[in-house]
Amino acid sequence: MDKRVLMTGFDPFGGETVNPAWEAVHRLDGRALQGGWTIVSQQVPTVFDRSIAVLREAMGRVRPQVVICVGQAGGRAQITPERVAINVNDARIPDNAGQQPIDTPVVPGGPAAYFTKLPIKRIVAALREAGIPAAVSNTAGTYVCNHIFYGLMHLIATEHPQVQGGFVHIPYLPEQVAGKTEPSMALDLIVRGLELVAAVAAAASDAGGEADLAVTAGQEC
Ligand code: PCA
């Protein structure tokens, strides 16, 4: 069998010299999963628009059945699959090309939001079962991560209807916060977690997009 999970990871941004997303994702390149699946890794730039162009090219070349984009969420303590991508760019800091869009759409005329069809609650349950801190997130922010997530969901809606896709945010690496108070997660644990995310998503794709677990991930404000 010949089935592929395309995983993307961003390059460093915001003054950091590493991005845990690419550090982890590139270690998974070529990793075989149960059921005849292989992970294919692709770096994407932390740049509005160009990130989606690189993703679109990679989807055309790799022809994946599952796509999982991964980004750094500095300050989070858990691996967090995202529920929803929104059609807005609102950048607090410039991207790696110096662009800082404010309140522009990712896709002019596109829907306000897309929900992932990945089984995010199944993924969180599997991660916790493996002893890896995880939670569903209900916002991917308004920077390049939400941007590529929305772009991915729009590509699925318009060009690749058979693909299942989603986005996962991960914490800082310990070396990024040495001397600070923010939480971090060791690279080995992030790599194991992302492999598990890919495995659960691949199994759900094999099962024809099975229903997610009916457990709450709700939050009050
Ligand atoms: N995190 C940023 C963009 C690139 C990344 O890894 C974000 O959360 O938008």
Side-chain angles (χ1 to χ4, degrees):
M1 290 293 279
D2 180 32
K3 293 172 290 186
R4 290 160 305 282
V5 177
L6 175 64
M7 289 193 111
T8 71
F10 286 100
D11 62 0
F13 70 100
E16 298 289 334
T17 55
V18 294
N19 189 322
W22 178 241
E23 293 305 314
V25 164
H26 93 82
R27 281 168 174 76
L28 288 168
D29 193 27
R31 184 77 54 100
L33 303 173
Q34 275 192 353
W37 290 82
T38 306
I39 297 176
V40 178
S41 302
Q42 171 70 49
Q43 192 182 62
V44 288
T46 303
V47 176
F48 287 98
D49 296 325
R50 206 187 310 150
S51 51
I52 295 176
V54 171
L55 171 66
R56 183 167 186 264
E57 185 280 325
M59 287 175 74
R61 176 167 41 82
V62 175
R63 310 303 298 175
Q65 289 77 17
V66 172
V67 181
I68 301 167
C69 298
V70 182
Q72 163 191 304
R76 288 194 192 170
Q78 299 160 303
I79 294 183
T80 49
E82 297 290 347
R83 191 196 296 263
V84 59
I86 60 176
N87 193 13
V88 66
N89 305 310
D90 190 359
R92 182 181 61 80
I93 55 172
D95 69 13
N96 285 351
Q99 307 175 101
Q100 194 171 3
I102 295 175
D103 294 351
T104 63
V106 181
V107 176
Y114 286 108
F115 291 116
T116 185
K117 293 198 179 73
L118 291 187
I120 50 177
K121 295 178 176 180
R122 229 175 255 289
I123 288 168
V124 167
L127 289 166
R128 290 179 178 177
E129 179 80 9
I132 302 173
V136 166
S137 166
N138 294 305
T139 175
T142 55
Y143 192 51
V144 185
C145 285
N146 173 75
H147 178 83
I148 200 170
F149 181 21
Y150 187 94
L152 167 63
M153 298 310 296
H154 194 71
L155 283 169
I156 290 171
T158 57
E159 298 180 28
H160 299 282
Q162 74 293 350
V163 170
Q164 306 260 311
F167 193 96
V168 178
H169 265 121
I170 58 174
Y172 281 134
L173 296 172
E175 64 261 36
Q176 291 178 279
V177 295
K180 299 184 187 163
T181 56
E182 281 137 310
S184 64
M185 190 178 281
L187 182 57
D188 281 356
L189 201 59
I190 297 176
V191 171
R192 273 211 284 135
L194 291 179
E195 180 176 357
L196 204 46
V197 171
V200 174
S205 169
D206 278 339
E210 63 188 334
D212 205 351
L213 301 180
V215 294
T216 186
Q219 280 177 315
E220 296 75 43
C221 269

